Amino acid sequence: MLRTSFNDDWQTRRKVNPFAELSGPVAPFQSVTLPHDAMIGQDRIPPEGDVTMEGGAGAYFPGGVFEYRKTFFVPEELRGKRVLFEFEGVYRDATVHINGDYAGQRPYGYSHFHIDADPYLRCGQDNEIRVEARAHQDSRWYTGAGIYRDTWMLTGEVVRIVPDGIRVTTLDVEDDRAVVEVATRLRNDSIALRTLDLAVNVHDATGDVVAADTTKVTVLPGEESIVRSRLYLREARLWDVDSPHLYGCRVTLSDADELVDSDGADFGVRSLQLDPERGLRINGRGVKLRGACVHHDNGPLGAATYARAEERRVEHLKEAGFNAVRISHQPMSKAMLDACDRHGILVVDETFDVWTSAKSGFDYSLHFPEWWERDLEAMVAKDYNHPSVIMYSIGNEIPETGSPFGAAWGRKLAEKIRSLDSGRYVTNAVNGFLAVMSDLAALRQKPEQVQQQAAESGAGINSQMADASDMLNAVSASDLVTRRTAESFSVLDVAGMNYADSRYALDRELFPNRVILGTETFPTRIDRNWQLVEQYSHVIGDFTWTGWDYLGEVGIGRPQYATPEHPRPVHTASFPHLLAGCGDIDITGHRRPASYYREIVFGLRTAPYIAVQRPERHGLTPIGSPWAWSDSVASWTWPGWEGKPLTVEVYSDAGEVELIGNGNSFGRRPVGAEHRFRAEFEIVYVPGELVAVAYRDGVKTGRTSLQWANGPVRLTAEADRRVVRTTGGDLAYVTLTLTDADGTCHTAADRLVSVEVSGAGELIGFGSAVPSTEERFDTTERRTYEGRALAVLRPTAAGKILLTATAPGCDPVDVVVTAE
């Protein structure tokens, strides 16, 4: 079917009761271009101020009901043809009306879906489509709201290739040849039998046709038919993380010489193998998953899913050393899948955060029993041709996995996926603690009756553990969890484990056929976890929480310090906290110290790395959660702290590191794996240059340095690309940085930056990585954080986009981006 963008010329507002609309003035509609997040532009409110609040889980943004409308003309030539609307994602409980009539709905906010529109359309005149979306206490993280992903208008003949109707499967790969099958699903909505010609062409990255097939196909009236074309690729180029080669497939349907329909799909040729002795293999080569869990929001853009935003995130994650992404905890966007295909990032795509047991007051558990099959079908249809997708996750931390009924549900979901796609593996991100949580609650309530169960669980319910990670691991390794989760794990190809590295060695003996994936792990344990991943063949990877910071779950990774009133960490931060604070990369795309530490642990970085703990916290006792990295910054600019003590962290895989300040050595410290890749130096702050030198067996292996920012503060602006496209969801990212004359970032000189955008583009997001603020992302003024801010531009036409930025005490700066 012909696919046309349907993103332009929408209007939106908060949903208004129709009776209220009759009684007086109401909120007006605002013009928007999709994708659009209706929530990110709302005022955040402390939870006590509004009963509809999502609380800290949703970053204190209000929920609500939002409506969208669009008027569009339907030409007379579409009469008698098929017209569909495709929505890649509407959060949430979407209902669609066309010309006032109900046309369809989709409760789940992360599934793409189609609306059969032609019964409701009026050809030769204007039509109206309305979409309503609801978000209200239905998630444990920031969701956004509204039509936050792309929309499409699909038009075609009554005999056609159905949407998502082309599936390419690699049947065989050997030496330099591959056999692929192209299965094309056709639909005949006419009342006559139709016999047509179907042609398949496969082309390589240069556009040259490398395989082709043509066949006759007869489709009965009112039925569907699947046409399978078996093609041979000689000298096939394989897809993998190091060389993500993609092929294109084009299918055309014709009647004699008249074109009836055409569609295409990109795909990659690769093989997957899995066993506990040799682990995961791609094209016969073993690979360990260096994984990042990632939520779906795009920081300053909220949940709005632009193709460039997704690709930029994938680029940054790969540059930071990750080779895999687990989208958490919902199906990944099409744009991000495309980016993972192009850049060689492996994907664990996830279905649901809930099944039948609710985690929030009005979450998807209310719809799961009725809709789960359709949502699984939508995810597999979206993912099937993407070589980056190697595994489907049927859930995240589902409490039911500890019960027989939950295991039965898991079996249903796993078998449904296998019936749709037998070429990928099935996992489930099981949290052993949650799986036996009802038992643990009983331990608190009736300790005298369950002492034996307490001993079996290892839960330490009646004693305090120093670290939540130790507690989760102790419970996960208990006999109680072993017994209660055995069936749920048995239905899977890969046992996904959240915060359960204590089971890795244990299950080698208890379940010798079990393959394990650390589907969610604490960032502070990556050195120990990665050692286990490398040690055990049946453990195929580690996914940290998280690779990229996100809105909501506010403050779970924030630094905390002990006080007499609060000797232990508090999970959720109070308003106006905005961010989770646990990402290796912050919401603007800037790598934090934990990211470089992880790169060293992975064996991908030989140079040491310097991070400096904030001197104002020196001497305090940190009590942060296991998601919290040290409160450190890669900066040697600390005005006002001259002559005062601070702590310097140096990360390295070498044998020892030497710290040198302005030419004076502070000595050497042991480092490397035996010392958790970290050395600390207690020194006095003196401005200038700080250098770390790594040694292995007395030989220098790497060097890095930090310079202080000295002299007048300058404002700089740099676009990630100078040329962008006007179509395809392209964006320009402009980083604004406060520096000295030599370009060193001035992390201690934060100030308000104003931006003005003119020409062929608009400002769609402006923000920083500050974890707690009442500033908005939809204004033209934002204060920098640690010397940085980020502006996001969307092209609106071909031409020049001019951004001018100003800050007190700095000369204005300009950036020009060309939209083509």
Side-chain angles (χ1 to χ4, degrees):
M1 302 183 76
L2 179 65
R3 176 180 292 266
T4 306
S5 175
F6 205 59
N7 286 341
D8 295 335
D9 303 321
W10 287 83
Q11 295 180 316
T12 188
R13 68 175 179 182
R14 274 188 170 269
K15 170 69 176 176
V16 178
N17 184 302
F19 299 102
E21 203 159 10
L22 293 173
S23 63
V26 296
F29 277 95
Q30 303 290 324
S31 296
V32 295
T33 299
L34 304 182
H36 176 257
D37 180 359
M39 186 179 286
I40 198 70
Q42 305 293 309
D43 288 324
R44 297 195 302 139
I45 313 169
E48 61 270 20
D50 188 340
V51 296
T52 67
M53 288 302 303
E54 307 303 298
Y60 301 107
F61 281 91
V65 184
F66 304 92
E67 60 180 331
Y68 292 76
R69 71 180 184 187
K70 174 174 177 168
T71 300
F72 60 102
F73 182 76
V74 178
E76 186 65 37
E77 53 262 33
L78 288 183
R79 188 181 300 277
K81 297 187 177 182
R82 295 307 317 272
V83 180
L84 284 73
F85 292 117
E86 179 180 299
F87 295 87
E88 291 190 12
V90 181
Y91 200 89
R92 179 184 175 269
D93 279 328
T95 55
V96 181
H97 288 75
I98 299 175
N99 293 324
D101 296 317
Y102 169 83
Q105 68 183 105
R106 194 69 174 216
Y108 197 37
Y110 302 104
S111 288
H112 79 291
F113 61 98
H114 297 92
I115 297 294
D116 288 326
D118 39 283
Y120 312 99
L121 296 177
R122 301 164 185 165
C123 294
Q125 55 186 293
D126 284 338
N127 291 253
E128 183 185 67
I129 185 171
R130 285 183 178 249
V131 180
E132 294 182 6
R134 300 154 183 83
H136 172 62
Q137 296 179 15
D138 52 21
S139 180
R140 300 184 300 119
W141 58 87
Y142 177 86
T143 61
I147 311 177
Y148 70 99
R149 290 179 179 170
D150 287 329
T151 59
W152 304 89
M153 184 175 183
L154 280 60
T155 57
E157 302 293 337
V158 290
V159 182
R160 66 199 184 281
I161 303 169
V162 303
D164 301 319
I166 299 174
R167 295 191 173 188
V168 186
T169 305
T170 300
L171 300 179
D172 184 26
V173 181
E174 186 178 19
D175 298 328
D176 61 348
R177 71 165 188 90
V179 182
V180 297
E181 179 188 81
V182 179
T184 305
R185 188 155 61 99
L186 308 178
R187 175 77 191 175
N188 181 5
D189 282 332
S190 74
I191 59 173
L193 178 145
R194 297 289 299 275
T195 299
L196 305 107
D197 296 308
L198 185 141
V200 179
N201 287 287
V202 173
H203 58 83
D204 62 16
T206 66
D208 293 333
V209 175
V210 294
D213 184 62
T214 303
T215 186
K216 289 282 186 183
V217 53
T218 298
V219 191
L220 299 176
E223 292 190 8
E224 290 188 355
S225 181
I226 295 178
V227 183
R228 299 187 186 274
S229 305
R230 190 181 180 96
L231 302 168
Y232 301 89
L233 303 182
R234 296 173 177 83
E235 299 180 358
R237 295 185 60 185
L238 304 186
W239 185 99
D240 64 27
V241 293
D242 297 321
S243 55
H245 182 81
L246 292 172
Y247 287 93
C249 173
R250 195 73 194 171
V251 179
T252 57
L253 191 64
S254 56
D255 188 353
D257 293 329
E258 182 179 351
L259 179 67
V260 175
D261 199 4
S262 69
D263 202 356
D266 292 334
F267 69 96
V269 175
R270 57 112 178 93
S271 65
L272 295 177
Q273 294 169 287
L274 182 72
D275 66 70
E277 295 300 325
R278 288 175 289 183
L280 173 68
R281 287 176 290 161
I282 298 177
N283 302 326
R285 183 169 62 94
V287 60
K288 296 286 190 176
L289 302 181
R290 304 189 301 269
C293 294
V294 174
H295 266 320
H296 76 296
D297 75 75
N298 278 303
L301 304 180
T305 305
Y306 291 89
R308 175 56 191 162
E310 302 288 72
E311 180 158 47
R312 177 176 178 266
R313 183 158 46 161
V314 168
E315 290 172 348
H316 282 29
L317 288 167
K318 183 149 191 180
E319 289 168 3
F322 294 107
N323 67 3
V325 169
R326 171 189 171 226
I327 195 68
S328 315
H329 306 287
Q330 68 285 319
M332 184 179 282
S333 71
K334 292 184 177 182
M336 195 169 189
L337 285 172
D338 289 338
C340 290
D341 286 347
R342 289 192 295 268
H343 293 282
I345 289 283
L346 302 171
V347 173
V348 177
D349 207 3
E350 197 152 79
T351 52
F352 314 116
D353 188 52
V354 294
W355 293 349
T356 60
S357 179
K359 294 179 180 176
S360 304
F362 301 93
D363 63 22
Y364 179 72
S365 64
L366 299 171
H367 302 283
F368 174 85
E370 180 181 355
W371 283 86
W372 69 272
E373 282 192 273
R374 281 169 283 188
D375 289 321
L376 281 186
E377 290 166 353
M379 183 180 74
V380 173
K382 169 181 62 69
D383 291 8
Y384 193 92
N385 293 323
H386 291 277
S388 57
V389 180
I390 60 171
M391 206 175 305
Y392 298 111
S393 169
I394 58 175
N396 171 69
E397 297 187 339
I398 305 297
E400 296 97 304
T401 53
S403 72
F405 279 104
W409 268 112
R411 194 177 301 277
K412 276 187 182 181
L413 271 69
E415 290 307 315
K416 177 66 178 181
I417 284 182
R418 291 176 180 124
S419 72
L420 299 169
D421 184 355
S422 61
R424 292 178 171 93
Y425 304 118
V426 178
T427 189
N428 189 359
V430 174
N431 185 315
F433 180 87
L434 291 180
V436 298
M437 193 159 53
S438 59
D439 298 75
L440 301 183
L443 297 179
R444 292 190 182 94
Q445 295 165 5
K446 303 176 182 178
E448 71 285 353
Q449 298 179 25
V450 288
Q451 290 303 313
Q452 181 59 37
Q453 194 172 2
E456 292 178 355
S457 73
I461 285 299
N462 297 316
S463 63
Q464 294 292 327
M465 286 202 172
D467 192 302
S469 61
D470 292 333
M471 182 270 290
L472 286 174
N473 258 311
V475 173
S476 292
S478 68
D479 182 63
L480 175 64
V481 170
T482 298
R483 289 184 282 105
R484 292 284 295 276
T485 60
E487 185 181 0
S488 285
F489 280 134
S490 74
V491 308
L492 308 170
D493 303 307
V494 177
M497 295 186 182
N498 286 12
Y499 311 112
D501 49 279
S502 58
R503 294 208 67 93
Y504 295 178
L506 180 66
D507 283 1
R508 182 70 159 177
E509 303 301 323
L510 294 178
F511 303 96
N513 296 317
R514 181 176 287 181
V515 176
I516 293 175
L517 176 62
T519 38
E520 194 167 313
T521 64
F522 293 118
T524 50
R525 297 177 70 103
I526 181 56
D527 59 319
R528 297 166 179 170
N529 288 344
W530 194 247
Q531 182 182 24
L532 295 173
V533 171
E534 292 187 313
Q535 178 180 355
Y536 293 111
S537 61
H538 71 293
V539 182
I540 63 173
D542 177 277
F543 282 80
T544 188
W545 191 266
T546 59
W548 195 283
D549 206 12
Y550 58 98
L551 308 175
E553 288 191 286
V554 296
I556 68 168
R558 72 192 187 282
Q560 298 183 65
Y561 298 87
T563 65
E565 298 80 16
H566 299 287
R568 301 183 65 79
V570 178
H571 185 73
T572 302
S574 59
F575 181 87
H577 222 92
L578 177 69
L579 308 178
C582 59
D584 275 25
I585 302 173
D586 72 27
I587 64 166
T588 69
H590 179 70
R591 291 177 65 182
R592 303 169 70 203
S595 174
Y596 294 93
Y597 178 86
R598 184 181 307 278
E599 190 179 15
I600 289 168
V601 170
F602 284 157
L604 302 176
R605 177 186 173 94
T606 56
Y609 185 81
I610 303 172
V612 182
Q613 295 183 15
R614 298 180 195 274
E616 61 266 33
R617 306 294 190 184
H618 190 265
L620 299 180
T621 303
I623 57 166
S625 75
W627 292 281
W629 199 251
S630 64
D631 191 6
S632 57
V633 185
S635 173
W636 197 234
T637 304
W638 303 101
W641 296 95
E642 293 82 358
K644 297 179 181 178
L646 47 66
T647 302
V648 177
E649 303 173 357
V650 183
Y651 313 146
S652 175
D653 64 351
E656 57 182 359
V657 291
E658 181 181 16
L659 191 67
I660 303 168
N662 299 328
N664 300 312
S665 176
F666 296 110
R668 298 187 185 187
R669 297 280 191 279
V671 72
E674 299 81 4
H675 299 274
R676 304 197 66 187
F677 302 95
R678 183 197 309 251
E680 290 190 357
F681 295 81
E682 297 290 328
I683 65 175
V684 170
Y685 176 60
V686 177
E689 182 185 42
L690 190 67
V691 177
V693 181
Y695 299 87
R696 181 174 284 110
D697 299 325
V699 178
K700 292 182 181 180
T701 60
R703 179 185 186 277
T704 193
S705 66
L706 294 177
Q707 303 284 340
W708 73 311
N710 183 29
V713 178
R714 298 185 176 187
L715 177 63
T716 65
E718 183 178 3
D720 63 336
R721 294 170 304 144
R722 290 305 180 106
V723 179
V724 297
R725 293 173 291 117
T726 58
T727 59
D730 207 358
L731 304 171
Y733 282 80
V734 179
T735 300
L736 302 158
T737 310
L738 301 173
T739 74
D740 65 7
D742 296 325
T744 300
C745 180
H746 207 311
T747 55
D750 287 321
R751 57 197 63 188
L752 193 68
V753 176
S754 300
V755 295
E756 180 180 339
V757 177
S758 59
E762 63 177 347
L763 180 72
I764 61 168
F766 186 29
S768 74
V770 61
S772 182
T773 181
E774 293 191 56
E775 294 176 297
R776 297 169 60 111
F777 293 117
D778 59 353
T779 63
T780 58
E781 291 186 336
R782 278 298 296 257
R783 188 171 177 82
T784 60
Y785 177 67
E786 295 177 355
R788 298 179 183 86
L790 182 72
V792 189
L793 311 180
R794 185 183 75 86
T796 55
K800 303 290 185 182
I801 308 171
L802 173 65
L803 179 143
T804 300
T806 58
C810 302
D811 293 334
V813 291
D814 293 331
V815 168
V816 176
V817 177
T818 301
E820 295 180 346

